[in-house]
Amino acid sequence: MSQHLFDEEYVNLVRRQIASVAKAMLANEISFLLGARKISLLRHTISMENDDVDLLTLITIDAETEHLPLEKPDKYSKNRNQADIEAEIEASEIWARIFGESACESLARRFSYI
């Protein structure tokens, strides 16, 4: 019984972290690309149904942009022009916001007060 309570508490903690990242994305405190990456990692630390549309939306953003060097773009510029990398990141950020904004709103609402 105590293990179940610990697991439930942990799941709720991670859900609150997901809500916090989603709120930061909506407030432009972190990029949608980086936020989606963080939420995708957090999602894998807890066992949740694989049919959560909001989480799947952000996992899709992460999967579609995982090749982009979000932390240190200059580190990867050996084979590509830095301006091209930055342009791709910027275009992907616009797409991610359009595609993921409603999912972030939903996650922030659903997981904030757990």
Side-chain angles (χ1 to χ4, degrees):
M1 178 79 173
S2 64
Q3 181 64 33
H4 174 71
L5 290 176
F6 171 77
D7 290 346
E8 189 175 323
E9 289 175 12
Y10 179 72
V11 167
N12 288 337
L13 172 68
V14 172
R15 286 179 176 170
R16 286 190 300 273
Q17 290 175 334
I18 289 171
S20 178
V21 173
K23 287 177 183 179
M25 294 163 70
L26 293 168
N28 292 317
E29 295 169 3
I30 64 171
S31 76
F32 261 70
L33 299 179
L34 189 56
R37 198 164 284 179
K38 288 181 180 205
I39 288 174
S40 184
L41 290 171
L42 283 169
R43 185 266 176 244
H44 289 293
T45 65
I46 58 176
S47 65
M48 296 176 79
E49 297 296 321
N50 286 326
D51 61 351
D52 186 305
V53 175
D54 299 323
L55 288 173
L56 288 174
T57 297
L58 295 173
I59 290 167
T60 299
I61 291 169
D62 180 40
E64 291 294 321
T65 61
E66 69 184 353
H67 67 284
L68 296 174
L70 302 181
E71 299 285 343
K72 296 182 180 182
D74 57 321
K75 177 178 158 185
Y76 298 91
S77 61
K78 294 177 186 171
N79 298 328
R80 293 184 58 196
N81 181 311
Q82 183 67 24
D84 291 342
I85 294 169
E86 290 172 6
E88 184 178 2
I89 290 171
E90 186 176 326
S92 296
E93 180 67 25
I94 292 167
W95 165 78
R97 179 171 283 280
I98 292 168
F99 186 66
E101 191 166 34
S102 64
C104 284
E105 290 168 349
S106 177
L107 289 169
R109 185 176 52 254
R110 289 172 39 214
F111 292 167
S112 286
Y113 302 105
I114 291 178

